[in-house]
């Protein structure tokens, strides 16, 4: 059983996916963390993320694994747990750049699908419903007003001690949105059969309730 949740940054995808997975007793697959892991290795290796050839070559000497502890997903790169290092502004910006490289997307596909075969999963990302799990029986596409998304992302950064100004958060978010929506391979678009939820005025619990209602009525 796969529940696919897609949408742009700041719509509350991760929070909602984590809550939903906990409620249903499913694994929570954060596909963005895998792109972040590739970005992390790219930065560590001193490679420019726009250098498609070098990033692609880097993949041949890279091993990425996920492990699940008490419902939380940990990402291992070449055997080391790098989960705590994946949410810096550098990794965030780089992940959006390397995710536009077709070879990176192809390389990460089987890693994501393998988790889908291991049991019931709530998977969250940008192309989960369109590309990774196109036959998922339940697909949601989350949206929210731009100002709400900026405010949420800014609050998240402040809480994580990585403040910056609202203006920087806003321009980083819109740069990332533009890249994610306009890349040639698997751009961020809703699946034809996705159910839309506007989270602008909803709490995470309210979004989860809507999802559970849809799943339990099979609609
Ligand atoms: O969800 P996130 O912010 O952790 O994702 C980081 C970047 O990874 C995002 O800017 C685009 C990319 N990504 C992707 O291209 N496809 C996915 N399924 C998930 C993330």
């Amino acid at each position: 059983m796969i529940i696919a949740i897609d949408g742009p940054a700041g719509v509350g995808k991760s929070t909602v996916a984590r809550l939903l997975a906990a409620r249903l007793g499913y694994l929570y697959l954060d596909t963005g963390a895998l792109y972040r892991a590739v970005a992390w290795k790219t930065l560590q290796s001193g490679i420019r993320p726009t250098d498609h050839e070098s990033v692609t070559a880097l993949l041949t000497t890279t091993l990425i694994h996920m492990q699940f502890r008490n419902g939380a997903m940990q990402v291992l790169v070449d055997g080391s747990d790098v989960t705590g290092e994946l949410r810096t502004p550098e990794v965030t910006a780089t992940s959006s750049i390397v995710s536009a490289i077709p070879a990176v997307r192809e390389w990460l596909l089987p890693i994501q699908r393998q988790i889908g075969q291991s049991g019931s999963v709530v998977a969250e990302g940008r192309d989960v419903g369109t590309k990774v799990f196109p036959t998922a029986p339940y697909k949601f596409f989350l949206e929210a007003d731009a100002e709400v998304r900026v405010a949420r992302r800014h609050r998240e950064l402040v809480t994580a001690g990585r403040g910056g100004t609202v203006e920087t958060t806003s321009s980083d978010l819109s740069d990332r949105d533009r890249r994610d929506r306009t890349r040639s391979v698997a751009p961020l678009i809703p699946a034809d059969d996705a159910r839309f939820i506007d989270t602008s005025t909803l709490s995470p619990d309210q979004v989860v309730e809507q999802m559970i209602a849809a799943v339990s009525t099979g609609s």
Side-chain angles (χ1 to χ4, degrees):
M1 169 64 158
I2 310 267
I3 299 178
I5 304 177
D6 288 304
V11 287
K13 281 190 315 284
S14 310
T15 310
V16 163
R18 195 175 294 112
L19 283 173
L20 182 66
R23 280 275 295 270
L24 298 173
Y26 289 12
L27 287 180
Y28 161 49
L29 172 60
D30 170 8
T31 63
L34 299 174
Y35 289 92
R36 288 172 181 271
V38 172
W40 180 87
K41 175 105 185 231
T42 302
L43 288 166
Q44 289 287 313
S45 310
I47 290 172
R48 274 185 304 113
T50 48
D51 178 352
H52 287 207
E53 231 169 82
S54 300
V55 175
T56 303
L58 184 69
L59 299 176
T60 61
T61 57
T62 301
L63 279 178
I64 292 185
H65 286 109
M66 283 167 281
Q67 60 188 27
F68 296 88
R69 293 268 154 85
N70 303 322
M73 184 179 126
Q74 296 171 337
V75 184
L76 282 73
V77 176
D78 304 325
S80 303
D81 181 0
V82 298
T83 317
E85 296 168 50
L86 298 182
R87 308 210 74 86
T88 63
E90 294 74 29
V91 170
T92 300
T94 305
S95 64
S96 161
I97 298 170
V98 296
S99 70
I101 302 175
V104 170
R105 306 202 71 83
E106 281 304 312
W107 190 78
L108 286 176
L109 258 187
I111 300 177
Q112 298 169 79
R113 287 188 176 147
Q114 193 193 343
I115 300 299
Q117 279 157 12
S118 62
S120 297
V121 173
V122 175
E124 168 251 309
R126 303 291 191 291
D127 63 343
V128 170
T130 51
K131 180 87 178 141
V132 184
F133 300 116
T135 59
Y138 297 103
K139 297 179 185 174
F140 298 95
F141 194 88
L142 305 190
E143 293 177 309
D145 296 341
E147 315 81 74
V148 173
R149 294 170 48 214
V150 169
R152 281 182 187 155
R153 184 41 54 99
H154 187 62
R155 214 171 322 134
E156 243 173 59
L157 289 170
V158 170
T159 308
R162 300 200 178 102
T165 63
V166 175
E167 289 70 30
T168 331
T169 307
S170 172
S171 81
D172 289 352
L173 204 74
S174 61
D175 283 352
R176 205 142 74 91
D177 265 4
R178 188 181 29 76
R179 277 197 298 263
D180 293 348
R181 289 182 198 271
T182 59
R183 64 173 173 240
S184 57
V185 188
L188 169 66
I189 41 162
D192 290 340
D193 50 349
R195 169 188 283 258
F196 283 80
I197 302 179
D198 186 332
T199 69
S200 306
T201 59
L202 299 175
S203 69
D205 282 328
Q206 288 172 315
V207 179
V208 169
E209 287 308 329
Q210 287 196 16
M211 291 175 164
I212 288 186
V215 172
S216 56
T217 58
S219 60

